[in-house]
Amino acid sequence: MKPTLFVLAAGMGSRYGGLKQLDPLGPQGQTIMDYSIYDAIQAGFGKVVFVIRKDFEEAFREKILSKYEGHIPVEVVFQSTDKLPEGYTCPADRTKPWGTNHAVLMGKEAINEPFAVINADDFYGRDAFRVIAEDLMRPRERKGDYSMVGFRVGNTMTENGSVSRGVCSKGEDGCLTGVVERTSIAYAPDGSIVFTDEEGKEQKLEPTTPVSMNLWGFTPDYFDYSEREFKKFLDKDLNTPKAEFFIPLCIDTLIHNGEATVKVLDTDSKWFGVTYSADRPGVVEKFAELHANGTYPEKMF
Protein backbone atom coordinates (compact mmCIF):
# COMPACT_ATOMS: atom_id res chain seq x y z
CA MET A 1 0.00 0.00 0.00
CA LYS A 2 1.39 3.37 -0.99
CA PRO A 3 1.68 5.80 1.94
CA THR A 4 -0.02 9.18 2.12
CA LEU A 5 1.73 12.50 2.63
CA PHE A 6 -0.07 14.71 5.17
CA VAL A 7 0.96 18.36 4.82
CA LEU A 8 0.42 20.77 7.73
CA ALA A 9 -0.39 24.04 5.98
CA ALA A 10 -2.79 25.77 8.36
CA GLY A 11 -0.34 28.05 10.18
CA MET A 12 0.37 31.70 9.56
CA GLY A 13 4.02 32.67 9.29
CA SER A 14 3.99 35.18 12.12
CA ARG A 15 7.76 35.70 12.22
CA TYR A 16 8.02 35.75 8.45
CA GLY A 17 5.07 38.08 7.95
CA GLY A 18 2.71 36.27 5.58
CA LEU A 19 1.48 33.04 4.09
CA LYS A 20 4.78 31.26 3.54
CA GLN A 21 2.91 28.33 2.02
CA LEU A 22 2.10 30.39 -1.11
CA ASP A 23 5.43 32.19 -1.47
CA PRO A 24 7.10 31.55 -4.86
CA LEU A 25 10.73 30.69 -4.14
CA GLY A 26 11.84 28.50 -7.07
CA PRO A 27 13.06 29.73 -10.49
CA GLN A 28 9.62 29.09 -12.04
CA GLY A 29 7.68 30.35 -9.04
CA GLN A 30 7.69 27.03 -7.17
CA THR A 31 6.67 26.99 -3.51
CA ILE A 32 8.49 24.94 -0.89
CA MET A 33 5.50 22.58 -0.96
CA ASP A 34 6.06 21.93 -4.66
CA TYR A 35 9.47 20.46 -3.89
CA SER A 36 8.04 18.31 -1.09
CA ILE A 37 5.27 16.98 -3.33
CA TYR A 38 7.72 16.30 -6.15
CA ASP A 39 10.11 14.45 -3.82
CA ALA A 40 7.20 12.50 -2.29
CA ILE A 41 6.00 11.33 -5.71
CA GLN A 42 9.53 10.20 -6.60
CA ALA A 43 9.72 8.33 -3.26
CA GLY A 44 6.50 6.41 -3.91
CA PHE A 45 3.75 8.25 -2.02
CA GLY A 46 0.29 7.68 -3.49
CA LYS A 47 -1.81 10.57 -2.17
CA VAL A 48 -1.43 14.00 -0.56
CA VAL A 49 -3.73 15.43 2.10
CA PHE A 50 -3.40 19.09 3.08
CA VAL A 51 -4.71 20.57 6.31
CA ILE A 52 -5.41 24.26 5.84
CA ARG A 53 -7.59 27.04 7.25
CA LYS A 54 -10.96 27.46 5.63
CA ASP A 55 -10.40 31.18 5.04
CA PHE A 56 -7.70 30.67 2.43
CA GLU A 57 -9.20 27.63 0.72
CA GLU A 58 -9.95 29.51 -2.51
CA ALA A 59 -6.43 30.85 -2.94
CA PHE A 60 -4.95 27.50 -1.95
CA ARG A 61 -7.00 25.55 -4.47
CA GLU A 62 -6.27 28.05 -7.23
CA LYS A 63 -2.53 28.51 -6.65
CA ILE A 64 -1.52 25.16 -5.18
CA LEU A 65 -3.85 22.24 -5.77
CA SER A 66 -4.59 22.89 -9.44
CA LYS A 67 -0.97 22.29 -10.44
CA TYR A 68 -0.93 18.73 -9.02
CA GLU A 69 -3.85 17.48 -11.13
CA GLY A 70 -2.77 14.46 -13.13
CA HIS A 71 0.34 13.96 -10.99
CA ILE A 72 -1.04 12.69 -7.66
CA PRO A 73 -4.48 12.57 -5.96
CA VAL A 74 -5.00 15.37 -3.41
CA GLU A 75 -7.51 16.09 -0.65
CA VAL A 76 -8.05 19.03 1.71
CA VAL A 77 -9.15 19.02 5.36
CA PHE A 78 -9.58 22.04 7.61
CA GLN A 79 -8.23 23.04 11.02
CA SER A 80 -10.09 25.52 13.20
CA THR A 81 -10.10 26.31 16.89
CA ASP A 82 -13.71 25.14 17.29
CA LYS A 83 -13.04 21.61 15.96
CA LEU A 84 -12.96 19.87 19.34
CA PRO A 85 -14.13 16.48 20.60
CA GLU A 86 -17.73 16.15 21.69
CA GLY A 87 -18.32 17.69 25.09
CA TYR A 88 -15.71 20.43 24.71
CA THR A 89 -16.39 24.05 23.67
CA CYS A 90 -13.71 26.44 22.45
CA PRO A 91 -13.32 29.46 24.78
CA ALA A 92 -14.60 32.65 23.17
CA ASP A 93 -11.23 34.39 23.59
CA ARG A 94 -9.19 31.58 22.00
CA THR A 95 -7.43 32.81 18.83
CA LYS A 96 -4.31 30.63 18.75
CA PRO A 97 -4.56 27.26 16.93
CA TRP A 98 -4.48 24.17 19.13
CA GLY A 99 -1.12 23.01 17.75
CA THR A 100 0.42 20.54 15.35
CA ASN A 101 -1.10 17.37 16.81
CA HIS A 102 -4.56 18.92 16.65
CA ALA A 103 -3.82 19.59 12.97
CA VAL A 104 -2.90 15.91 12.56
CA LEU A 105 -6.25 14.89 14.05
CA MET A 106 -8.02 16.71 11.21
CA GLY A 107 -6.86 13.95 8.85
CA LYS A 108 -8.68 11.12 10.64
CA GLU A 109 -11.53 10.86 8.12
CA ALA A 110 -9.29 11.22 5.06
CA ILE A 111 -6.38 8.86 5.82
CA ASN A 112 -6.68 5.07 6.13
CA GLU A 113 -3.10 4.04 5.28
CA PRO A 114 0.39 4.64 6.69
CA PHE A 115 1.22 8.33 6.39
CA ALA A 116 4.01 10.84 6.80
CA VAL A 117 3.46 14.24 8.40
CA ILE A 118 5.39 17.29 7.20
CA ASN A 119 5.31 21.05 7.61
CA ALA A 120 4.29 22.97 4.50
CA ASP A 121 7.02 25.57 4.89
CA ASP A 122 10.06 23.33 5.40
CA PHE A 123 12.32 21.89 2.70
CA TYR A 124 13.25 18.36 3.72
CA GLY A 125 15.27 17.08 0.77
CA ARG A 126 15.06 14.03 -1.48
CA ASP A 127 16.79 11.60 0.88
CA ALA A 128 14.45 12.39 3.77
CA PHE A 129 11.40 11.42 1.71
CA ARG A 130 13.13 8.28 0.50
CA VAL A 131 13.91 6.98 3.99
CA ILE A 132 10.45 7.73 5.43
CA ALA A 133 8.66 6.20 2.41
CA GLU A 134 10.71 3.01 2.66
CA ASP A 135 9.89 2.73 6.35
CA LEU A 136 6.17 3.35 5.86
CA MET A 137 5.98 0.55 3.30
CA ARG A 138 7.41 -2.10 5.61
CA PRO A 139 5.01 -4.66 7.22
CA ARG A 140 3.74 -3.89 10.71
CA GLU A 141 2.36 -6.43 13.17
CA ARG A 142 1.23 -4.16 15.98
CA LYS A 143 -0.15 -0.76 16.83
CA GLY A 144 2.14 2.07 17.81
CA ASP A 145 4.95 1.12 15.39
CA TYR A 146 6.01 4.58 14.21
CA SER A 147 9.06 6.38 12.87
CA MET A 148 10.53 9.82 12.41
CA VAL A 149 13.32 11.31 10.35
CA GLY A 150 15.99 12.55 12.73
CA PHE A 151 17.73 15.45 11.02
CA ARG A 152 21.17 16.37 12.27
CA VAL A 153 20.71 19.72 14.04
CA GLY A 154 23.72 21.18 12.24
CA ASN A 155 21.82 20.65 8.96
CA THR A 156 18.77 22.59 10.17
CA MET A 157 20.08 25.99 11.26
CA THR A 158 19.57 29.53 10.01
CA GLU A 159 22.08 32.37 10.24
CA ASN A 160 19.27 34.86 10.87
CA GLY A 161 18.04 34.02 14.34
CA SER A 162 17.00 31.20 16.63
CA VAL A 163 14.93 28.16 15.68
CA SER A 164 12.67 25.72 17.51
CA ARG A 165 13.49 22.03 17.27
CA GLY A 166 12.39 18.85 18.98
CA VAL A 167 15.72 17.60 20.39
CA CYS A 168 15.68 13.80 20.39
CA SER A 169 17.31 11.12 22.48
CA LYS A 170 17.37 7.47 21.40
CA GLY A 171 18.21 4.10 22.87
CA GLU A 172 20.61 1.41 21.72
CA ASP A 173 17.84 -0.04 19.53
CA GLY A 174 17.70 3.20 17.54
CA CYS A 175 14.25 4.11 18.84
CA LEU A 176 13.25 7.43 20.32
CA THR A 177 13.39 7.59 24.11
CA GLY A 178 12.30 11.20 24.41
CA VAL A 179 11.86 14.46 22.57
CA VAL A 180 12.05 17.90 24.14
CA GLU A 181 10.91 21.01 22.31
CA ARG A 182 13.68 23.62 22.44
CA THR A 183 12.56 27.06 21.29
CA SER A 184 15.78 29.07 21.16
CA ILE A 185 18.48 27.10 19.31
CA ALA A 186 21.03 29.38 17.65
CA TYR A 187 24.65 29.80 16.69
CA ALA A 188 26.96 31.11 19.41
CA PRO A 189 29.65 33.68 18.51
CA ASP A 190 32.23 30.85 18.29
CA GLY A 191 30.09 28.95 15.76
CA SER A 192 28.87 26.28 18.16
CA ILE A 193 25.17 25.46 18.46
CA VAL A 194 23.51 26.35 21.74
CA PHE A 195 20.08 26.53 23.35
CA THR A 196 18.73 28.07 26.54
CA ASP A 197 17.36 25.52 29.01
CA GLU A 198 14.45 25.82 31.47
CA GLU A 199 16.71 27.51 34.03
CA GLY A 200 17.95 30.11 31.58
CA LYS A 201 21.36 28.46 31.19
CA GLU A 202 23.08 28.09 27.84
CA GLN A 203 23.68 24.50 26.77
CA LYS A 204 25.62 23.19 23.76
CA LEU A 205 24.32 20.77 21.14
CA GLU A 206 26.59 18.63 18.99
CA PRO A 207 25.95 19.26 15.27
CA THR A 208 25.00 15.58 14.79
CA THR A 209 22.32 15.64 17.52
CA PRO A 210 19.08 14.29 16.01
CA VAL A 211 16.18 16.73 15.97
CA SER A 212 12.61 16.47 14.82
CA MET A 213 11.60 18.67 11.90
CA ASN A 214 8.03 17.32 12.08
CA LEU A 215 8.71 14.57 9.56
CA TRP A 216 6.90 11.69 11.24
CA GLY A 217 5.74 8.29 10.02
CA PHE A 218 2.46 7.01 11.50
CA THR A 219 -0.20 4.39 10.95
CA PRO A 220 -3.93 5.26 11.31
CA ASP A 221 -4.10 4.00 14.91
CA TYR A 222 -2.20 7.19 15.80
CA PHE A 223 -5.45 9.12 15.35
CA ASP A 224 -7.11 7.19 18.19
CA TYR A 225 -4.17 7.73 20.54
CA SER A 226 -4.09 11.41 19.60
CA GLU A 227 -7.77 11.91 20.25
CA ARG A 228 -7.45 10.34 23.69
CA GLU A 229 -4.43 12.46 24.60
CA PHE A 230 -6.04 15.61 23.19
CA LYS A 231 -8.96 15.17 25.57
CA LYS A 232 -6.51 14.91 28.47
CA PHE A 233 -4.80 18.07 27.20
CA LEU A 234 -8.13 19.92 27.03
CA ASP A 235 -9.10 18.77 30.51
CA LYS A 236 -5.96 20.50 31.76
CA ASP A 237 -5.46 23.42 29.36
CA LEU A 238 -8.77 24.22 27.67
CA ASN A 239 -8.75 27.69 29.22
CA THR A 240 -5.03 28.36 28.82
CA PRO A 241 -4.99 30.76 25.82
CA LYS A 242 -1.52 29.90 24.50
CA ALA A 243 -1.32 26.19 25.32
CA GLU A 244 -0.73 23.97 22.27
CA PHE A 245 -1.00 20.24 21.68
CA PHE A 246 2.28 19.48 19.88
CA ILE A 247 3.16 16.20 18.15
CA PRO A 248 6.24 15.68 20.39
CA LEU A 249 4.02 16.09 23.47
CA CYS A 250 1.76 13.24 22.35
CA ILE A 251 4.64 11.04 21.17
CA ASP A 252 6.55 11.49 24.41
CA THR A 253 3.50 10.34 26.37
CA LEU A 254 2.96 7.24 24.19
CA ILE A 255 6.62 6.25 24.44
CA HIS A 256 6.70 6.55 28.22
CA ASN A 257 3.40 4.66 28.48
CA GLY A 258 4.93 1.83 26.49
CA GLU A 259 2.21 2.17 23.83
CA ALA A 260 4.48 3.23 20.96
CA THR A 261 7.97 2.90 19.59
CA VAL A 262 9.40 5.46 17.20
CA LYS A 263 12.29 4.38 15.02
CA VAL A 264 14.69 7.29 14.41
CA LEU A 265 15.68 7.32 10.72
CA ASP A 266 18.90 9.09 9.85
CA THR A 267 19.25 11.32 6.79
CA ASP A 268 21.99 13.45 5.34
CA SER A 269 19.41 15.84 3.86
CA LYS A 270 19.91 19.49 4.67
CA TRP A 271 16.81 21.28 5.83
CA PHE A 272 16.13 24.85 4.89
CA GLY A 273 13.14 27.12 5.18
CA VAL A 274 12.01 30.70 5.53
CA THR A 275 11.79 31.15 9.28
CA TYR A 276 12.61 34.85 8.98
CA SER A 277 12.20 37.24 6.04
CA ALA A 278 16.01 37.54 5.92
CA ASP A 279 16.16 33.80 5.07
CA ARG A 280 14.30 34.29 1.78
CA PRO A 281 17.16 35.39 -0.54
CA GLY A 282 19.33 32.46 0.54
CA VAL A 283 16.51 29.98 -0.03
CA VAL A 284 15.84 31.40 -3.50
CA GLU A 285 19.54 30.96 -4.28
CA LYS A 286 19.59 27.37 -3.01
CA PHE A 287 16.61 26.38 -5.14
CA ALA A 288 18.25 27.95 -8.20
CA GLU A 289 21.35 25.83 -7.51
CA LEU A 290 19.28 22.64 -7.15
CA HIS A 291 17.73 23.25 -10.56
CA ALA A 292 21.05 24.18 -12.13
CA ASN A 293 22.74 20.97 -10.94
CA GLY A 294 19.90 18.77 -12.20
CA THR A 295 18.41 17.76 -8.85
CA TYR A 296 15.10 19.18 -10.02
CA PRO A 297 13.83 19.66 -13.59
CA GLU A 298 12.96 23.11 -14.86
CA LYS A 299 9.25 22.19 -14.97
CA MET A 300 8.16 20.02 -12.05
CA PHE A 301 4.39 20.07 -12.59
Side-chain angles (χ1 to χ4, degrees):
M1 182 182 295
K2 288 188 174 184
T4 285
L5 184 67
F6 192 23
V7 184
L8 308 185
M12 280 287 283
S14 57
R15 285 178 293 183
Y16 179 47
L19 288 175
K20 291 187 285 186
Q21 297 88 349
L22 304 184
D23 194 6
L25 298 168
Q28 305 298 320
Q30 296 96 336
T31 67
I32 286 181
M33 278 191 295
D34 288 338
Y35 293 95
S36 292
I37 305 305
Y38 183 87
D39 286 342
I41 292 171
Q42 303 303 310
F45 283 81
K47 181 176 73 173
V48 182
V49 177
F50 296 93
V51 56
I52 65 172
R53 293 197 323 273
K54 186 70 176 177
D55 62 322
F56 72 95
E57 179 186 9
E58 184 177 350
F60 194 86
R61 288 189 182 277
E62 177 188 341
K63 296 182 180 181
I64 300 295
L65 297 195
S66 60
K67 71 179 75 174
Y68 304 136
E69 289 180 4
H71 295 279
I72 191 169
V74 297
E75 293 184 42
V76 173
V77 296
F78 303 101
Q79 183 184 21
S80 62
T81 54
D82 60 356
K83 281 197 174 183
L84 299 179
E86 188 175 350
Y88 297 87
T89 302
C90 182
D93 60 348
R94 177 82 187 195
T95 57
K96 194 173 185 65
W98 291 105
T100 51
N101 213 68
H102 177 253
V104 169
L105 270 171
M106 301 302 100
K108 184 175 182 178
E109 303 304 320
I111 300 173
N112 301 296
E113 54 282 319
F115 64 101
V117 175
I118 67 166
N119 294 332
D121 50 6
D122 288 316
F123 176 81
Y124 293 98
R126 184 74 49 85
D127 186 64
F129 284 99
R130 178 189 63 79
V131 298
I132 195 72
E134 287 180 358
D135 186 75
L136 289 171
M137 288 187 240
R138 67 177 167 84
R140 283 168 167 77
E141 299 179 353
R142 59 178 175 79
K143 293 182 178 180
D145 185 357
Y146 308 139
S147 57
M148 62 158 283
V149 177
F151 281 75
R152 302 163 193 173
V153 69
N155 286 340
T156 73
M157 301 295 292
T158 172
E159 301 281 351
N160 297 306
S162 64
V163 296
S164 298
R165 301 286 181 258
V167 177
C168 304
S169 54
K170 58 182 180 178
E172 292 182 2
D173 60 356
C175 289
L176 194 66
T177 56
V179 55
V180 179
E181 192 76 12
R182 298 297 184 188
T183 57
S184 56
I185 302 173
Y187 285 117
D190 65 359
S192 61
I193 299 171
V194 298
F195 70 92
T196 304
D197 66 16
E198 294 84 353
E199 298 178 356
K201 295 179 180 178
E202 194 173 87
Q203 305 286 351
K204 283 193 175 184
L205 283 175
E206 291 299 318
T208 55
T209 301
V211 295
S212 165
M213 298 302 299
N214 260 0
L215 180 40
W216 300 91
F218 296 127
T219 45
D221 55 90
Y222 185 68
F223 293 122
D224 295 328
Y225 287 130
S226 293
E227 195 164 61
R228 183 195 72 192
E229 293 305 314
F230 187 44
K231 289 176 182 177
K232 293 179 183 177
F233 168 87
L234 292 173
D235 289 339
K236 179 176 178 288
D237 286 315
L238 177 66
N239 294 302
T240 306
K242 293 188 177 182
E244 292 185 69
F245 184 47
F246 293 116
I247 295 171
L249 177 67
C250 185
I251 285 293
D252 208 47
T253 299
L254 297 181
I255 289 172
H256 286 99
N257 284 350
E259 295 176 293
T261 57
V262 181
K263 186 179 179 183
V264 180
L265 310 172
D266 183 45
T267 181
D268 59 7
S269 282
K270 292 187 176 182
W271 167 94
F272 55 83
V274 184
T275 305
Y276 302 94
S277 57
D279 293 331
R280 192 180 190 281
V283 170
V284 169
E285 184 178 339
K286 286 173 183 174
F287 280 135
E289 291 172 0
L290 289 171
H291 283 272
N293 67 21
T295 301
Y296 295 102
E298 180 179 352
K299 182 173 176 57
M300 294 162 57
F301 297 104

